[in-house]
Amino acid sequence: MVTRGAEQHFWIGPGTEGILTPSLPSSLAFVAALWLGFAPYVLHFSRVRGGLADGIDVLVAVVVAVFALVRTVAPRDLPVLSVVNAILGLWLVVAPVVLGYTLVRIVVVDLVVGVLLVGLSGLSALLTYRQRAKSQVTGPGE
C-alpha cells in the first residue's frame, strides 16, 4: 500500500470495509479479457472471416487486460481507462452484427464478454468518480 500524504493509494482499510471498491470490478474485467483472448483458440473459431474474428478479439483482450490490470492495482488513478474498456465492451456487442459473424460461438463469446465489460468497467469508473467526488466534498483524510 502506497501512502500519499494523508490518503492511502489503495482503497482498503477501516474506511472501506463493507463497500465495493473499483478494484473488484476491474479485476473481474481482467478475467473476462483473459477469456476473450483465449476463446478463439479454445473454441476453434480462428479461421472465421479470414481470421478477422480472432484478431479483433485478441487485440481487444490485450487492451482491456492491460487497462483493467492498471485499474486493479491503482483504482484511484485513471478512471478513463475503465471508460475505454466499457466502450470496447460495446464494440464487442455490436461487432458480430457489423462484421457479419455467422458462427454462434463467436457471437455468444463477444456478446457475453461485451456485456460483462460494459457493466464491470462502467461500475469501476462510476465507483472511482463517486469516491473522488465524495473525497472532494469531505476533504482528504476525513
Side-chain angles (χ1 to χ4, degrees), residues 89-122:
L90 279 175
W91 164 249
L92 288 174
V93 170
V94 300
V97 175
V98 171
L99 300 175
Y101 297 161
T102 55
L103 191 60
V104 175
R105 292 181 296 225
I106 301 171
V107 175
V108 169
V109 167
D110 282 4
L111 285 176
V112 169
V113 173
V115 168
L116 283 172
L117 287 178
V118 169
L120 293 169
S121 299

Side-chain angles (χ1 to χ4, degrees), residues 8-26:
Q8 295 176 346
H9 186 66
F10 290 100
W11 282 332
I12 59 174
T16 60
E17 289 180 19
I19 64 171
L20 182 64
T21 63
S23 291
L24 178 62
S26 292

Side-chain angles (χ1 to χ4, degrees), residues 46-54:
S46 61
R47 291 203 173 89
V48 173
R49 299 208 24 110
L52 182 66
D54 66 330

Side-chain angles (χ1 to χ4, degrees), residues 1-138:
M1 179 178 344
V2 177
T3 303
R4 292 182 188 163
E7 66 180 291
Q8 295 176 346
H9 186 66
F10 290 100
W11 282 332
I12 59 174
T16 60
E17 289 180 19
I19 64 171
L20 182 64
T21 63
S23 291
L24 178 62
S26 292
S27 62
L28 294 174
F30 177 77
V31 172
L34 286 180
W35 168 246
L36 181 65
F38 286 109
Y41 309 104
V42 171
L43 299 176
H44 306 291
F45 59 80
S46 61
R47 291 203 173 89
V48 173
R49 299 208 24 110
L52 182 66
D54 66 330
I56 289 174
D57 282 1
V58 169
L59 179 65
V60 169
V62 168
V63 172
V64 169
V66 169
F67 288 177
L69 191 58
V70 168
R71 293 280 298 140
T72 299
V73 173
R76 291 190 64 137
D77 300 332
L78 302 169
V80 71
L81 296 181
S82 288
V83 174
V84 170
N85 280 351
I87 292 168
L88 288 172
L90 279 175
W91 164 249
L92 288 174
V93 170
V94 300
V97 175
V98 171
L99 300 175
Y101 297 161
T102 55
L103 191 60
V104 175
R105 292 181 296 225
I106 301 171
V107 175
V108 169
V109 167
D110 282 4
L111 285 176
V112 169
V113 173
V115 168
L116 283 172
L117 287 178
V118 169
L120 293 169
S121 299
L123 179 62
S124 179
L126 179 69
L127 290 170
T128 301
Y129 287 123
R130 274 191 188 170
Q131 195 69 10
R132 283 183 171 184
K134 183 180 174 183
S135 68
Q136 287 177 354
V137 169
T138 61

